[in-house]
Amino acid sequence: MSVKLKRPLIGAAVLVLVIAGCLGWVWQRHGAYGLNTLLRRGGTYWITLKADDSRLSPSMQLALKEPPPLAQPGPFTWREVEKGFEVAELPVIADGKEVDRILLNRIDPALFRFVALNSANGDKGIDEWEKALPTAVLIVNGSYYDLKGRPDTPIISDGVAIGPTTYDAKAGAFTAGDGFASIKELSNQTWQTALTGATNAMVSYPLLIGSDGQTHVKAVSRWLANRTFVAEDGGHRIIVGTTKEAFFPLAGLAEFLKSAPLDLKIALNFDGGPIACQSVRLNGFQRKFYAQWEAQVDGDQVKLLRWPFGKSWAMPMVLAVERR
């Protein structure tokens, strides 16, 4: 074989080995979740911006002003689509204009059941979850997951305990069982005690509003992201909400929910960012939301999460709602 032919073959062999090595590293560190992340969106990376960069949404740019504007709830109306299931959209008003909108669902646990699920392979975004759960009337992202897409906090999925067995939880847990659903505060009880009797449950953090009616977000942060939360109101109904924008850091969301006319008695944060998607499929009402925002902020430097392609992130952890 001539030297001219050998060189391209050697180059191709080296390229194959490099790709194989990279894929092997991804598999070792992230498992099937990591490989599917590459296939779904080409991986992820952070870009560094200034707070007024146009690649941030107008709402994020406004939230990063010093001092940030005060957010107030706008007018909204609950609509009962099915008995025991109401929907609404709560405007977030700052500087005289709408800067965010919270997609709300208010659910009677006597008529609907809640299911905590994990798909660690990273092959299910909101579209795939809809296909996998054809009878689910609500699907949202759930609590946190590790580098391989497995539950990072204790959960119970249809009676099966998964996730870490040793975990220091001080925030809260969403628990559900036969005809009930509630949020348990973990400052005065262990998560094992809180999850007793539940057939579906998720430990998460932080607790946005505690049983004392006060906000419980202690860490000061300017981390902006799409947010998902689950709450319990004075009528023992479960409220599940997702923000359309990334106006709120966690402390700001907690303060807003405390002041909003939702009658929340306790509220728990779920994971946020581009995974904070929501699907609602009811008779006469459909809603599908794809999240896209997450930014770390340090001084005037902003790191924005990006990816090369793809619309929907994988959602390893979800909370689904079904008719009883």
Side-chain angles (χ1 to χ4, degrees), residues 100 141 224-228 242-248 269-277 289-295:
D100 208 335
N141 69 291
L224 302 178
N226 292 106
R227 306 286 182 191
T228 294
T242 303
T243 67
K244 291 188 72 174
E245 262 286 349
F247 179 78
F248 288 116
N269 183 67
F270 277 165
D271 201 358
I275 63 165
C277 301
F289 170 69
Y290 298 93
Q292 62 173 316
W293 296 113
E294 185 166 355

Side-chain angles (χ1 to χ4, degrees), residues 118-134:
N118 170 243
S119 178
N121 286 342
D123 56 352
K124 290 186 179 68
I126 194 69
D127 299 326
E128 291 79 14
W129 277 114
E130 284 185 334
K131 294 175 183 177
L133 302 172

Side-chain angles (χ1 to χ4, degrees), residues 29-47:
R29 182 173 172 80
H30 299 283
Y33 174 78
L35 293 180
N36 274 308
T37 294
L38 290 175
L39 293 174
R40 290 186 68 86
R41 58 182 185 269
T44 56
Y45 56 93
W46 299 87
I47 58 175

Side-chain angles (χ1 to χ4, degrees), residues 18-316:
V18 169
I19 293 173
C22 291
L23 291 177
W25 180 86
V26 170
W27 177 264
Q28 182 179 22
R29 182 173 172 80
H30 299 283
Y33 174 78
L35 293 180
N36 274 308
T37 294
L38 290 175
L39 293 174
R40 290 186 68 86
R41 58 182 185 269
T44 56
Y45 56 93
W46 299 87
I47 58 175
T48 302
L49 313 169
K50 294 293 186 181
D52 60 353
D53 194 290
S54 62
R55 284 171 287 185
L56 298 169
S57 74
S59 293
M60 296 171 80
Q61 293 177 56
L62 184 62
L64 293 173
K65 290 186 178 296
E66 288 290 354
L70 179 66
Q72 297 181 330
F76 75 105
T77 303
W78 287 106
R79 171 189 171 194
E80 187 172 55
V81 184
E82 292 187 18
K83 185 178 180 181
F85 200 115
E86 299 166 273
V87 297
E89 295 190 11
L90 174 58
V92 180
I93 309 298
D95 276 3
K97 58 187 176 183
E98 183 174 316
V99 296
D100 208 335
R101 182 168 283 252
I102 303 180
L103 307 176
L104 293 170
N105 307 275
R106 187 164 68 180
I107 305 154
D108 183 349
L111 299 176
F112 293 85
R113 68 185 294 262
F114 296 80
V115 186
L117 296 163
N118 170 243
S119 178
N121 286 342
D123 56 352
K124 290 186 179 68
I126 194 69
D127 299 326
E128 291 79 14
W129 277 114
E130 284 185 334
K131 294 175 183 177
L133 302 172
T135 62
V137 295
L138 171 65
I139 305 169
V140 295
N141 69 291
S143 188
Y144 301 88
Y145 55 93
D146 66 15
L147 293 175
K148 293 188 176 182
R150 301 167 301 195
D152 205 32
T153 67
I155 82 166
I156 299 176
S157 179
D158 272 337
V160 179
I162 56 179
T165 56
T166 301
Y167 187 81
D168 184 19
K170 300 297 184 185
F174 173 77
T175 65
D178 186 15
F180 79 90
S182 65
I183 298 170
K184 304 289 183 64
E185 192 168 338
L186 300 180
S187 60
N188 55 4
Q189 63 180 318
T190 66
W191 63 265
Q192 292 93 336
T193 300
L195 269 55
T196 300
T199 53
N200 286 277
M202 285 186 178
V203 173
S204 193
Y205 59 87
L207 197 65
L208 299 171
I209 300 173
S211 55
D212 58 0
Q214 302 303 309
T215 60
H216 281 228
V217 180
K218 297 180 174 61
V220 177
S221 171
R222 298 173 71 202
W223 194 308
L224 302 178
N226 292 106
R227 306 286 182 191
T228 294
F229 67 89
V230 60
E232 185 176 352
D233 72 5
H236 301 293
R237 293 166 296 190
I238 298 300
I239 294 180
V240 180
T242 303
T243 67
K244 291 188 72 174
E245 262 286 349
F247 179 78
F248 288 116
L250 284 170
L253 177 62
E255 288 293 340
F256 180 84
L257 292 177
K258 179 184 172 183
S259 67
L262 296 172
D263 190 29
L264 301 186
K265 302 307 179 185
I266 190 168
L268 180 65
N269 183 67
F270 277 165
D271 201 358
I275 63 165
C277 301
Q278 184 183 125
S279 166
V280 183
R281 295 175 295 175
L282 294 161
N283 296 328
F285 182 85
Q286 304 285 315
R287 174 196 285 160
K288 184 184 287 190
F289 170 69
Y290 298 93
Q292 62 173 316
W293 296 113
E294 185 166 355
Q296 302 176 19
V297 183
D298 184 11
D300 63 349
Q301 295 292 315
V302 181
K303 291 184 177 180
L304 179 66
L305 186 61
R306 295 282 83 189
W307 54 98
F309 57 82
K311 184 177 182 180
S312 172
W313 272 48
M315 299 164 64

